[in-house]
Amino acid sequence: MEHISTPKVENVKLLDRYASKRAASGTLYLTATHLIYVDASAEGRKETWILHHHISSVEKLPLTTAGYPLLIHCKNFHVAHFVIGQERDCHDVFTSLLKLSQPVKPEELYAFSYNPKMSKESREMGWKLIDLKLDYQRMGIPNDCWEITDINKDYEVCSTYPPELVVPRAASRAVVMGSSRFRSRGRIPVLSYLYKENNAALCRCSQPLAGFSARCLEDEQMLQAIREANPGCPFMYVVDTRPKLNAMANRAAGKGYENEDNYENIRFKFIGIENIHVMRSSLQKLLEVCEMKSPSMSDFLTGLENSGWLRHIKAVMDAGVFLAKAVREERASVLVHCSDGWDRTAQVCSLASLLLDPFYRTFKGFMVLIEKEWIAMGHKFSHRCGHLDGDPKEVSPVFTQFVECVWQLMQQFPCSFEFSELFLLEIHDHVYSCQFGNFLGTCHRDREELRIFEKTHSLWPFLLQRKQELRNPLYRGFTAYKELQPNTLPFSFQFWCGMYNRFDRGMQPKQSVLQQLLGCLRHRAGLEDSAARLEHKLPILDGPLPSKGCTSGKASTPAQDCAGGAAPVLSNGPSLGQQEHQESPARPQESPAQPPESPAQPQESPAQRQESPAQRQESPAQPRESPAQPPESPAQPQESPARPLEPGAPREEGQAQHQG
């Protein structure tokens, strides 16, 4: 709180460039964690919450007739344009936000003060929710060719790798240590994903310290061990995700790429994804296009093309598709690297895994994928996301590009992902919010030193609590789509308005198809719950139901009456329920209640009766999860994707705007 000189400013205007009505007028508050704007002119209490860690820049604009403008850009692409009446107040808010949004020490991050009133045991269980060993066991590891080793338990091999690594069983300790000395920052080749269908492996590492002529016998033996672990293919690919020109420039600095003459039976390939500086510049150009005042369609499309953003997204997607195709169709193992193996390598390895394995398209699987390929393997979240006041040249939207690639896949395969766009936006928000400890620091060793697992909470259990809200109503199930083969022609890539213009209400459809579907499913679940309660009441109140030729002495439920007749179906019509009826012709029904043996038989309590729908949701006979839990109220307001994830915590930016 020492950075806040003026905690409250009244008569502040909030401008909306898309709204035709006059600017909102209200009060601006500064707290230790949030900027809060309360619109006094709105019907009811309308609030806008902006987390300090989400703020990327604060700018004072020239004086206008309305007052002193203050423009705030956020890392989740929220833009807030305030006009403050007094110059002193504007300056105080400006200086306070500069300090609050750029903490110097890790201990000043929100995660270390965030307290969701959770027990110590619950917090520890949250961190144990994702176990990477279980994912490797799912792939069949350890086996005859691969093993999980703790050779890096003291970070002797690599300081930015986790303590446990998956390496070829044929690679001795001497080979591993020798390879680490020949790879940039000691990031040796390790397993990322094993395709069980043909034993082809997807591995990752950093660039070799080859220069123009250097070679390393242990590194050559390591690649040979990876190739021989897959007896179904006589060669392996080595993929450099950088443009060839960049890789050749690194050769002059004593680094570079593998010489095919020194490695037996490898096929080398460049992919051509640009570096972090090009990506940062491209995103900035894209955001300038998104913030144009009144662009024509021609101006917008020209600006989008000139930004090059979608071309970069296509390049990342092309790389992931190539890796997946090499593993699946050519049955070849692949080794991937960029410069240090923590940016472009993480993007393409996680995308290839997503294309090959439907498990990673579920809620739990996607969390495992992020933990395995991004968090454990040392993506520099703290630097790339600008969590602390540091070098701005280290900031780059690497993880944002991965999230967008997943969204692009969801547009082509809308029924193959268990989660919706809102789930991606929630994760993206919390990568920058620093509210949870998952994305703090740059590697596992950093997080141990910061005692993240003791002092902060994990994001994943909070997201799983909101699973029904974040699910994809079109999901066809785990086995509906095995491998994905997306189209990567330029016309297949769309502009993601839901990400980059998410808070511009004038840019969004008046009705969200996703929210409409979820609302219909909630309504359907409510109707089914009501029907179940009525089914319990009928035999108790009226005795056994009369037989009408379609039953044999037992009271039957409405769905069982007259199988050949027109029994009522609790559905919202074929447009919504067709897919579910195809997969589950009849929902699990409870056996009809028997007539009471005596009048004194106790009636079932309401709490017991309300257990029936939940039991049906978890019944093993039902092929997939129930669409949603019954709502507590018929019209529950939509919540912002950026809000905190538990009761009592401060809300994040944009919540009240979406509720309004």
Side-chain angles (χ1 to χ4, degrees):
M1 296 292 289
E2 67 273 10
H3 298 312
I4 302 176
S5 53
T6 305
K8 178 181 178 181
V9 182
E10 296 182 336
N11 299 320
V12 177
K13 292 183 174 61
L14 176 61
L15 306 183
D16 186 344
R17 63 195 178 107
Y18 288 107
S20 56
K21 61 183 181 181
R22 61 181 185 146
S25 179
T27 304
L28 187 149
Y29 300 88
L30 289 182
T31 71
T33 58
H34 289 78
L35 178 154
I36 308 170
Y37 178 77
V38 181
D39 184 358
S41 61
E43 297 179 1
R45 184 181 178 88
K46 183 179 178 182
E47 301 176 357
T48 301
W49 292 59
I50 299 178
L51 189 65
H52 295 326
H53 291 318
H54 271 162
I55 297 176
S56 61
S57 67
V58 186
E59 183 181 0
K60 286 199 297 184
L61 301 180
L63 174 66
T64 66
T65 55
Y68 295 86
L70 194 66
L71 187 62
I72 298 175
H73 285 87
C74 297
K75 298 170 184 176
N76 62 347
F77 312 116
H78 186 189
V79 179
H81 193 167
F82 296 105
V83 178
I84 301 175
Q86 301 295 322
E87 181 181 10
R88 180 181 180 84
D89 290 339
C90 181
H91 179 73
D92 288 346
V93 172
F94 172 75
T95 54
S96 296
L97 289 178
L98 282 181
K99 295 176 182 177
L100 292 168
S101 62
Q102 298 176 353
V104 178
K105 301 178 182 178
E107 294 78 11
E108 298 174 4
L109 295 172
Y110 185 21
F112 292 97
S113 60
Y114 174 60
N115 182 15
K117 308 299 182 184
M118 180 183 291
S119 67
K120 178 182 177 182
E121 292 76 16
S122 298
R123 187 191 70 233
E124 291 174 351
M125 288 300 296
W127 282 113
K128 295 176 182 177
L129 181 64
I130 304 299
D131 187 350
L132 298 185
K133 274 190 175 181
L134 294 179
D135 191 46
Y136 290 123
Q137 290 173 11
R138 189 181 62 86
M139 301 178 202
I141 297 171
N143 56 30
D144 294 340
C145 300
W146 297 92
E147 65 177 351
I148 303 175
T149 174
D150 61 353
I151 192 172
N152 197 42
K153 62 182 179 181
D154 298 321
Y155 303 104
E156 294 178 3
V157 177
C158 176
S159 62
T160 58
Y161 270 174
E164 293 183 330
L165 304 170
V166 180
V167 297
R169 193 175 290 275
S172 65
R173 179 181 177 87
V175 168
V176 171
M177 298 303 295
S179 178
S180 71
R181 289 189 290 269
F182 189 66
R183 292 282 167 176
S184 176
R185 303 183 186 272
R187 295 175 65 89
I188 62 170
V190 296
L191 181 79
S192 173
Y193 177 72
L194 181 66
Y195 190 59
K196 289 197 299 183
E197 303 293 331
N198 56 25
N199 291 320
L202 181 61
C203 300
R204 57 183 293 175
C205 62
S206 62
Q207 64 183 337
L209 306 180
F212 289 103
S213 59
R215 59 186 297 181
C216 172
L217 180 61
E218 291 85 358
D219 193 68
E220 294 166 19
Q221 291 173 343
M222 175 65 91
L223 266 65
Q224 181 181 354
I226 293 174
R227 179 178 55 79
E228 292 177 349
N230 175 23
C233 185
F235 68 92
M236 68 176 287
Y237 280 105
V238 176
V239 174
D240 192 329
T241 59
R242 300 169 293 181
K244 185 175 182 179
L245 189 62
N246 296 22
M248 293 181 68
N250 275 273
R251 265 194 165 182
K255 300 177 182 179
Y257 53 92
E258 291 81 358
N259 186 339
E260 289 186 78
D261 295 334
N262 297 336
Y263 293 86
E264 184 180 353
N265 293 327
I266 72 166
R267 296 183 182 179
F268 191 86
K269 181 178 177 62
F270 286 107
I271 292 290
I273 303 173
E274 297 291 347
N275 61 31
I276 60 172
H277 312 294
V278 174
M279 300 305 188
R280 180 177 61 249
S281 174
S282 177
L283 178 62
Q284 185 57 43
K285 293 176 183 177
L286 176 72
L287 297 181
E288 290 172 3
V289 174
C290 295
E291 295 171 24
M292 293 170 66
K293 293 296 182 182
S294 300
S296 65
M297 181 58 72
S298 176
D299 291 340
F300 178 82
L301 294 177
T302 300
L304 180 61
E305 173 66 21
N306 291 338
S307 72
W309 181 253
L310 289 181
R311 285 199 303 276
H312 298 315
I313 297 296
K314 180 184 183 304
V316 176
M317 188 77 80
D318 281 332
V321 169
F322 173 80
L323 299 185
K325 185 177 179 181
V327 167
R328 181 183 64 249
E329 297 181 9
E330 299 187 57
R331 310 173 66 88
S333 293
V334 185
L335 177 65
V336 187
H337 68 75
C338 48
S339 296
D340 293 315
W342 51 44
D343 289 323
R344 289 164 281 198
T345 303
Q347 287 177 329
V348 300
C349 286
S350 48
L351 264 182
S353 300
L354 200 71
L355 294 173
L356 289 169
D357 195 332
F359 171 68
Y360 295 127
R361 297 172 224 142
T362 65
F363 280 104
K364 188 76 173 285
F366 196 69
M367 296 173 185
V368 169
L369 184 67
I370 292 175
E371 281 281 349
K372 179 162 62 80
E373 298 298 333
W374 294 84
I375 298 174
M377 297 306 293
H379 176 66
K380 299 164 64 174
F381 280 106
S382 181
H383 296 170
R384 297 294 181 258
C385 301
H387 290 163
L388 300 173
D389 187 19
D391 186 359
K393 293 182 179 179
E394 284 288 299
V395 175
S396 188
V398 177
F399 188 78
T400 300
Q401 287 182 317
F402 165 67
V403 172
E404 175 159 348
C405 285
V406 177
W407 180 83
Q408 297 285 354
L409 287 174
M410 292 170 69
Q411 304 315 295
Q412 294 195 38
F413 304 97
C415 302
S416 61
F417 290 83
E418 185 182 14
F419 46 83
S420 69
E421 172 188 55
L422 297 180
F423 181 67
L424 297 180
L425 293 175
E426 280 286 350
I427 293 177
H428 186 267
D429 279 352
H430 286 298
V431 165
Y432 290 97
S433 73
C434 302
Q435 183 175 345
F436 299 92
N438 305 69
F439 307 105
L440 304 187
T442 60
C443 60
H444 192 275
R445 187 176 188 175
D446 267 7
R447 296 180 190 98
E448 285 186 337
E449 292 173 353
L450 292 171
R451 298 171 65 191
I452 292 294
F453 310 107
E454 303 172 29
K455 296 183 176 181
T456 71
H457 294 81
S458 171
L459 170 64
W460 309 131
F462 288 88
L463 290 182
L464 288 178
Q465 288 176 6
R466 299 175 57 199
K467 186 174 179 179
Q468 295 300 325
E469 174 189 346
L470 303 173
R471 67 185 294 270
N472 172 19
L474 302 178
Y475 182 52
R476 293 283 303 275
F478 188 86
T479 58
Y481 296 89
K482 196 171 183 183
E483 296 93 359
L484 301 183
Q485 301 182 44
N487 188 337
T488 59
L489 293 175
F491 65 79
S492 303
F493 294 88
Q494 306 176 31
F495 170 71
W496 192 2
C497 184
M499 168 77 91
Y500 305 108
N501 288 106
R502 173 178 162 199
F503 297 97
D504 295 323
R505 298 185 61 188
M507 290 281 288
Q508 304 299 327
K510 292 184 178 180
Q511 288 185 325
S512 166
V513 174
L514 172 65
Q515 292 304 319
Q516 287 292 106
L517 281 174
L518 290 174
C520 289
L521 292 174
R522 284 194 295 267
H523 181 62
R524 173 182 173 174
L527 292 176
E528 291 179 345
D529 183 44
S530 299
R533 289 200 300 269
L534 292 174
E535 289 169 4
H536 279 286
K537 287 181 179 179
L538 281 174
I540 297 174
L541 296 178
D542 301 332
L545 293 177
S547 174
K548 295 184 179 180
C550 296
T551 59
S552 57
K554 288 188 178 181
S556 62
T557 63
Q560 291 171 327
D561 283 342
C562 303
V569 179
L570 298 179
S571 166
N572 287 322
S575 61
L576 172 68
Q578 181 180 5
Q579 168 192 321
E580 297 187 5
H581 286 291
Q582 289 173 350
E583 295 182 2
S584 177
R587 64 180 177 84
Q589 299 175 359
E590 299 176 1
S591 59
Q594 296 294 333
E597 295 181 0
S598 65
Q601 185 176 350
Q603 182 175 346
E604 194 173 6
S605 68
Q608 290 172 329
R609 291 197 302 270
Q610 290 175 359
E611 288 178 0
S612 175
Q615 291 171 352
R616 290 201 306 273
Q617 288 175 355
E618 297 177 359
S619 169
Q622 190 164 353
R624 62 193 186 96
E625 291 183 9
S626 175
Q629 296 291 342
E632 295 181 1
S633 61
Q636 188 174 357
Q638 176 185 348
E639 297 188 8
S640 165
R643 68 172 180 80
L645 304 173
E646 73 305 288
R651 285 166 288 179
E652 305 218 16
E653 61 272 31
Q655 175 180 358
Q657 289 180 333
H658 285 275
Q659 290 178 343

